[in-house]
Amino acid sequence: MKIFICKVCGHIEFNSAPGNCPVCYAPEEKFEQNDKIFIESEEKSKEASPKHIPAIQIIKECHLIKEQACTDVLVRIGEVLHPMEEKHFIMFIDCYLDYKYVSRVMLSPNVWASGLYHLKTAGKKVTIVEKCNIHGFWMAEAAL
Ligand SMILES: [Fe+2]
């Protein structure tokens, strides 16, 4: 699959670069194609995989948005919890539905390496992308 990265904010788009970055609104020219970005992170630091590959939980019964159908996507980085320290932390977690961008959770060393999305729309597959300030981009997927 084609992967495009926004050089301004690190947002990733699948298949094609957008007119403007949906996160920071940078124009299309700021996107750079690198289909191997996830493979590169893994190859650079193989031993780091358990602390970086997103662990995804899908919960279909939301207790917060009772009024409507809601699919909750809970994410932690990773199966072995990633540290959140001034010098080494997860910068953001982006969520996609069927490879279309949904939303970003911005993180800082003051919170755990985790994210939560209350999906309104139905889909088949959730993709989660995260960026570590030291170890780069990692992703995982889950069926809905
Ligand atoms: Fe890391």
Side-chain angles (χ1 to χ4, degrees):
M1 190 186 309
K2 289 181 182 171
I3 298 173
F4 297 85
I5 305 111
C6 174
K7 286 187 278 181
V8 176
C9 75
H11 173 66
I12 279 179
E13 284 279 318
F14 296 99
N15 297 315
S16 62
N20 284 92
C21 175
V23 174
C24 74
Y25 311 107
E28 194 172 348
E29 310 87 76
K30 296 286 181 186
F31 278 80
E32 196 173 66
Q33 186 172 357
N34 179 359
D35 302 343
K36 292 186 172 161
I37 191 150
F38 300 115
I39 296 164
E40 282 172 4
S41 298
E42 205 162 343
E43 281 175 353
K44 260 185 224 156
S45 27
K46 270 205 175 79
E47 70 297 337
S49 295
K51 281 191 185 166
H52 290 87
I53 293 174
I56 306 169
Q57 264 186 64
I58 307 290
I59 299 175
K60 299 253 177 177
E61 224 170 290
C62 180
H63 297 288
L64 183 66
I65 315 298
K66 297 182 181 86
E67 296 85 347
Q68 297 283 336
C70 180
T71 301
D72 296 352
V73 179
L74 286 75
V75 181
R76 55 172 276 166
I77 314 296
E79 205 172 294
V80 177
L81 195 60
H82 188 280
M84 292 298 273
E85 297 160 357
E86 294 295 333
K87 287 185 179 160
H88 184 200
F89 64 101
I90 304 302
M91 301 167 74
F92 61 79
I93 308 174
D94 281 353
C95 176
Y96 302 78
L97 192 58
D98 297 331
Y99 299 109
K100 288 191 186 75
Y101 172 67
V102 172
S103 175
R104 167 174 289 193
V105 172
M106 290 296 299
L107 301 177
S108 81
N110 299 303
V111 293
W112 296 115
S114 62
L116 166 62
Y117 310 85
H118 294 275
L119 296 184
K120 281 171 73 182
T121 39
K124 287 183 181 153
K125 191 191 264 184
V126 161
T127 302
I128 298 292
V129 170
E130 64 97 337
K131 188 182 183 196
C132 168
N133 71 322
I134 289 176
H135 298 101
F137 291 91
W138 300 75
M139 72 169 282
E141 295 187 319
L144 286 177

